[in-house]
Coordinates of all heavy atoms in Angstrom, one line a residue:
A32 N -0.5 13.7 4.9 CA -0.8 12.7 4.0 C 0.3 11.6 3.8 O 1.5 11.9 4.1 CB -1.1 13.3 2.6
V33 N 0.0 10.4 3.4 CA 0.8 9.3 3.2 C 2.1 9.7 2.4 O 3.2 9.5 2.8 CB 0.1 8.1 2.6 CG1 1.0 7.0 2.2 CG2 -1.0 7.6 3.5
Y34 N 1.9 10.2 1.2 CA 3.0 10.5 0.3 C 4.0 11.5 0.9 O 5.2 11.4 0.8 CB 2.6 10.9 -1.1 CG 1.8 10.0 -1.9 CD1 0.9 10.4 -2.9 CD2 1.9 8.6 -1.7 CE1 0.1 9.5 -3.6 CE2 1.1 7.7 -2.4 CZ 0.2 8.2 -3.4 OH -0.5 7.3 -4.1
E35 N 3.4 12.5 1.5 CA 4.2 13.6 2.1 C 5.2 13.0 3.1 O 6.4 13.3 3.2 CB 3.3 14.6 2.7 CG 4.0 15.8 3.4 CD 3.1 16.8 4.1 OE1 1.9 16.7 3.9 OE2 3.7 17.7 4.8
I36 N 4.6 12.2 4.0 CA 5.5 11.6 5.0 C 6.5 10.6 4.5 O 7.7 10.6 4.8 CB 4.6 10.9 6.1 CG1 3.8 12.0 6.8 CG2 5.4 10.0 7.1 CD1 2.7 11.4 7.8
L37 N 6.1 9.8 3.5 CA 7.0 8.8 3.0 C 8.1 9.4 2.2 O 9.2 8.9 2.1 CB 6.2 7.8 2.1 CG 5.2 6.9 2.8 CD1 4.5 5.9 1.9 CD2 5.9 6.1 3.9
Q38 N 7.8 10.6 1.6 CA 8.9 11.2 0.8 C 10.0 11.8 1.7 O 11.1 12.1 1.2 CB 8.3 12.4 0.0 CG 7.5 11.8 -1.2 CD 6.6 12.8 -1.9 OE1 6.2 13.9 -1.4 NE2 6.3 12.6 -3.2
E39 N 9.7 11.9 3.0 CA 10.7 12.5 3.9 C 11.7 11.4 4.4 O 12.6 11.8 5.1 CB 10.0 13.1 5.1 CG 9.2 14.3 4.7 CD 8.4 14.9 5.9 OE1 8.4 14.3 7.0 OE2 7.8 15.9 5.7
V40 N 11.4 10.2 4.1 CA 12.3 9.1 4.6 C 13.7 9.2 4.0 O 13.8 9.3 2.8 CB 11.7 7.7 4.4 CG1 12.7 6.6 4.6 CG2 10.4 7.6 5.2
D41 N 14.7 9.1 4.8 CA 16.1 9.1 4.3 C 16.4 7.7 3.8 O 16.4 6.7 4.6 CB 17.0 9.4 5.5 CG 18.5 9.4 5.2 OD1 18.8 8.9 4.1 OD2 19.3 9.9 6.0
E42 N 16.6 7.6 2.5 CA 16.8 6.3 1.9 C 17.9 5.5 2.5 O 17.9 4.2 2.6 CB 16.9 6.4 0.4 CG 16.9 5.0 -0.3 CD 16.6 5.1 -1.8 OE1 16.5 6.2 -2.3 OE2 16.5 4.0 -2.4
S43 N 18.9 6.2 3.0 CA 20.1 5.5 3.6 C 19.7 4.8 5.0 O 20.4 3.9 5.4 CB 21.2 6.5 3.9 OG 20.9 7.4 4.9
K44 N 18.5 5.1 5.5 CA 18.1 4.5 6.7 C 16.9 3.6 6.5 O 16.4 2.9 7.4 CB 17.6 5.6 7.8 CG 18.8 6.4 8.2 CD 18.3 7.5 9.2 CE 19.4 8.3 9.7 NZ 19.0 9.3 10.7
A45 N 16.4 3.5 5.3 CA 15.2 2.8 5.0 C 15.2 1.3 5.2 O 14.2 0.6 5.5 CB 14.8 3.0 3.5
N46 N 16.4 0.7 5.2 CA 16.6 -0.8 5.4 C 17.0 -1.1 6.8 O 17.3 -2.3 7.0 CB 17.5 -1.4 4.3 CG 16.9 -1.3 3.0 OD1 15.8 -1.9 2.7 ND2 17.4 -0.5 2.1
I47 N 17.2 -0.2 7.7 CA 17.6 -0.5 9.0 C 16.4 -0.9 9.9 O 15.4 -0.3 9.9 CB 18.3 0.7 9.7 CG1 19.5 1.2 8.8 CG2 18.7 0.5 11.1 CD1 20.1 2.5 9.3
K48 N 16.6 -2.0 10.6 CA 15.6 -2.5 11.6 C 16.1 -2.1 12.9 O 17.1 -2.6 13.5 CB 15.5 -4.0 11.5 CG 14.9 -4.5 10.2 CD 14.7 -6.0 10.3 CE 14.3 -6.6 8.9 NZ 14.2 -8.0 9.0
P49 N 15.4 -1.1 13.5 CA 15.9 -0.7 14.9 C 15.7 -1.8 15.9 O 14.9 -2.7 15.7 CB 15.0 0.5 15.2 CG 14.0 0.6 14.1 CD 14.3 -0.4 13.1
A50 N 16.5 -1.7 17.0 CA 16.3 -2.7 18.1 C 14.8 -2.8 18.5 O 14.2 -1.8 18.7 CB 17.2 -2.4 19.2
G51 N 14.3 -4.0 18.6 CA 13.0 -4.2 19.0 C 11.9 -4.2 17.9 O 10.8 -4.3 18.1
S52 N 12.4 -3.9 16.7 CA 11.5 -3.8 15.6 C 11.7 -5.0 14.6 O 12.8 -5.4 14.3 CB 11.7 -2.5 14.8 OG 10.9 -2.4 13.6
D53 N 10.5 -5.6 14.1 CA 10.6 -6.7 13.2 C 10.8 -6.2 11.8 O 11.2 -7.0 10.9 CB 9.3 -7.5 13.3 CG 9.2 -8.3 14.5 OD1 10.2 -8.6 15.2 OD2 8.0 -8.5 14.9
H54 N 10.5 -5.0 11.5 CA 10.5 -4.5 10.1 C 11.3 -3.2 9.9 O 11.2 -2.3 10.8 CB 9.1 -4.3 9.6 CG 8.2 -5.5 9.7 ND1 8.5 -6.7 9.1 CD2 7.1 -5.7 10.4 CE1 7.6 -7.5 9.4 NE2 6.7 -7.0 10.2
S55 N 11.9 -3.0 8.8 CA 12.5 -1.8 8.4 C 11.4 -1.0 7.7 O 10.3 -1.5 7.3 CB 13.6 -2.0 7.4 OG 13.2 -2.5 6.2
M56 N 11.6 0.3 7.5 CA 10.6 1.1 6.7 C 10.5 0.6 5.3 O 9.3 0.6 4.8 CB 11.1 2.6 6.7 CG 11.1 3.3 8.1 SD 11.7 5.0 8.1 CE 13.5 4.8 7.9
N57 N 11.5 0.1 4.7 CA 11.4 -0.4 3.4 C 10.5 -1.7 3.3 O 9.8 -1.9 2.4 CB 12.8 -0.7 2.8 CG 12.8 -0.6 1.3 OD1 11.9 0.1 0.7 ND2 13.9 -1.1 0.7
V58 N 10.7 -2.6 4.3 CA 9.8 -3.8 4.3 C 8.4 -3.4 4.4 O 7.5 -3.9 3.7 CB 10.3 -4.7 5.5 CG1 9.2 -5.7 5.8 CG2 11.6 -5.3 5.2
L59 N 8.1 -2.4 5.2 CA 6.7 -1.9 5.4 C 6.2 -1.3 4.1 O 5.1 -1.5 3.7 CB 6.6 -0.9 6.5 CG 6.9 -1.4 7.9 CD1 7.2 -0.3 8.9 CD2 5.8 -2.3 8.4
L60 N 7.0 -0.5 3.4 CA 6.6 0.1 2.2 C 6.3 -1.0 1.1 O 5.2 -0.9 0.4 CB 7.7 1.0 1.6 CG 7.5 1.6 0.3 CD1 6.3 2.6 0.3 CD2 8.7 2.4 -0.2
W61 N 7.1 -2.0 1.0 CA 6.9 -3.0 0.0 C 5.7 -3.9 0.4 O 4.9 -4.4 -0.5 CB 8.1 -3.8 -0.3 CG 9.1 -3.0 -1.1 CD1 10.1 -2.2 -0.7 CD2 9.1 -2.9 -2.6 NE1 10.7 -1.6 -1.8 CE2 10.1 -2.0 -3.0 CE3 8.3 -3.5 -3.6 CZ2 10.3 -1.7 -4.3 CZ3 8.5 -3.1 -4.9 CH2 9.5 -2.2 -5.2
H62 N 5.4 -4.0 1.7 CA 4.2 -4.7 2.1 C 3.0 -3.9 1.7 O 1.9 -4.4 1.2 CB 4.2 -4.9 3.6 CG 3.0 -5.4 4.2 ND1 2.5 -6.6 4.0 CD2 2.1 -4.7 5.0 CE1 1.3 -6.8 4.7 NE2 1.0 -5.6 5.3
M63 N 3.0 -2.6 1.9 CA 1.9 -1.7 1.5 C 1.7 -1.8 -0.1 O 0.6 -1.9 -0.5 CB 2.3 -0.3 1.8 CG 2.2 0.1 3.3 SD 3.0 1.6 3.7 CE 1.7 2.8 3.1
N64 N 2.8 -2.0 -0.8 CA 2.7 -2.1 -2.3 C 1.9 -3.4 -2.6 O 1.1 -3.4 -3.5 CB 4.1 -2.2 -2.9 CG 4.6 -0.8 -3.3 OD1 3.8 0.0 -3.6 ND2 5.9 -0.6 -3.2
T65 N 2.2 -4.5 -1.9 CA 1.6 -5.8 -2.2 C 0.1 -5.6 -2.1 O -0.6 -6.1 -3.0 CB 2.0 -6.9 -1.2 OG1 3.4 -7.1 -1.4 CG2 1.3 -8.2 -1.4
W66 N -0.4 -5.0 -1.0 CA -1.9 -4.9 -0.9 C -2.5 -3.9 -1.8 O -3.7 -4.0 -2.2 CB -2.3 -4.8 0.6 CG -1.9 -6.1 1.2 CD1 -0.8 -6.4 2.0 CD2 -2.5 -7.4 0.9 NE1 -0.8 -7.7 2.3 CE2 -1.8 -8.4 1.7 CE3 -3.6 -7.8 0.2 CZ2 -2.2 -9.7 1.6 CZ3 -4.0 -9.1 0.2 CH2 -3.2 -10.1 0.9
A67 N -1.8 -2.9 -2.2 CA -2.3 -1.9 -3.2 C -2.4 -2.7 -4.6 O -3.4 -2.5 -5.3 CB -1.4 -0.7 -3.3
E68 N -1.4 -3.5 -4.8 CA -1.4 -4.3 -6.1 C -2.6 -5.3 -6.0 O -3.2 -5.6 -7.1 CB -0.1 -5.1 -6.2 CG 1.1 -4.2 -6.6 CD 2.4 -4.9 -6.5 OE1 2.5 -6.1 -6.4 OE2 3.5 -4.1 -6.4
F69 N -2.8 -5.9 -4.9 CA -4.0 -6.8 -4.7 C -5.3 -6.1 -5.1 O -6.1 -6.6 -5.8 CB -4.0 -7.4 -3.3 CG -5.1 -8.3 -3.1 CD1 -5.0 -9.7 -3.5 CD2 -6.4 -7.9 -2.6 CE1 -6.1 -10.6 -3.3 CE2 -7.4 -8.8 -2.5 CZ -7.3 -10.1 -2.8
V70 N -5.5 -4.9 -4.5 CA -6.7 -4.2 -4.8 C -6.8 -3.8 -6.2 O -7.8 -4.0 -6.9 CB -6.7 -2.9 -3.9 CG1 -7.9 -2.0 -4.4 CG2 -6.9 -3.3 -2.4
L71 N -5.7 -3.4 -6.8 CA -5.7 -3.1 -8.3 C -6.0 -4.3 -9.1 O -6.9 -4.3 -10.0 CB -4.3 -2.5 -8.7 CG -4.2 -2.2 -10.2 CD1 -5.2 -1.2 -10.6 CD2 -2.7 -1.7 -10.5
G72 N -5.4 -5.5 -8.8 CA -5.7 -6.7 -9.5 C -7.1 -7.1 -9.4 O -7.7 -7.6 -10.3
S73 N -7.7 -6.9 -8.2 CA -9.2 -7.2 -8.0 C -10.0 -6.3 -8.8 O -11.0 -6.8 -9.5 CB -9.5 -7.0 -6.5 OG -8.8 -7.9 -5.7
L74 N -9.7 -5.0 -8.9 CA -10.5 -4.1 -9.7 C -10.3 -4.4 -11.2 O -11.2 -4.2 -12.0 CB -10.0 -2.7 -9.5 CG -10.4 -2.1 -8.1 CD1 -9.6 -0.8 -7.8 CD2 -11.9 -1.9 -8.0
E75 N -9.1 -4.9 -11.6 CA -8.9 -5.3 -13.0 C -9.4 -6.7 -13.3 O -9.2 -7.1 -14.5 CB -7.4 -5.2 -13.3 CG -6.9 -3.8 -13.3 CD -5.3 -3.7 -13.4 OE1 -4.6 -4.7 -13.1 OE2 -4.9 -2.7 -13.9
N76 N -9.9 -7.4 -12.3 CA -10.5 -8.7 -12.5 C -9.4 -9.7 -13.0 O -9.6 -10.5 -13.9 CB -11.7 -8.7 -13.4 CG -12.5 -9.9 -13.2 OD1 -12.6 -10.5 -12.1 ND2 -13.3 -10.4 -14.2

Side-chain angles (χ1 to χ4, degrees):
V33 172
Y34 297 156
E35 180 183 352
I36 293 171
L37 295 180
Q38 287 169 336
E39 295 174 355
V40 169
D41 179 349
E42 188 161 4
S43 70
K44 296 180 179 181
N46 292 296
I47 299 171
K48 292 180 186 177
S52 177
D53 291 334
H54 305 301
S55 69
M56 292 180 284
N57 206 21
V58 166
L59 294 165
L60 175 63
W61 285 92
H62 169 70
M63 291 168 70
N64 272 326
T65 297
W66 291 105
E68 291 168 13
F69 180 87
V70 169
L71 178 61
S73 296
L74 290 167
E75 293 176 333
N76 203 27

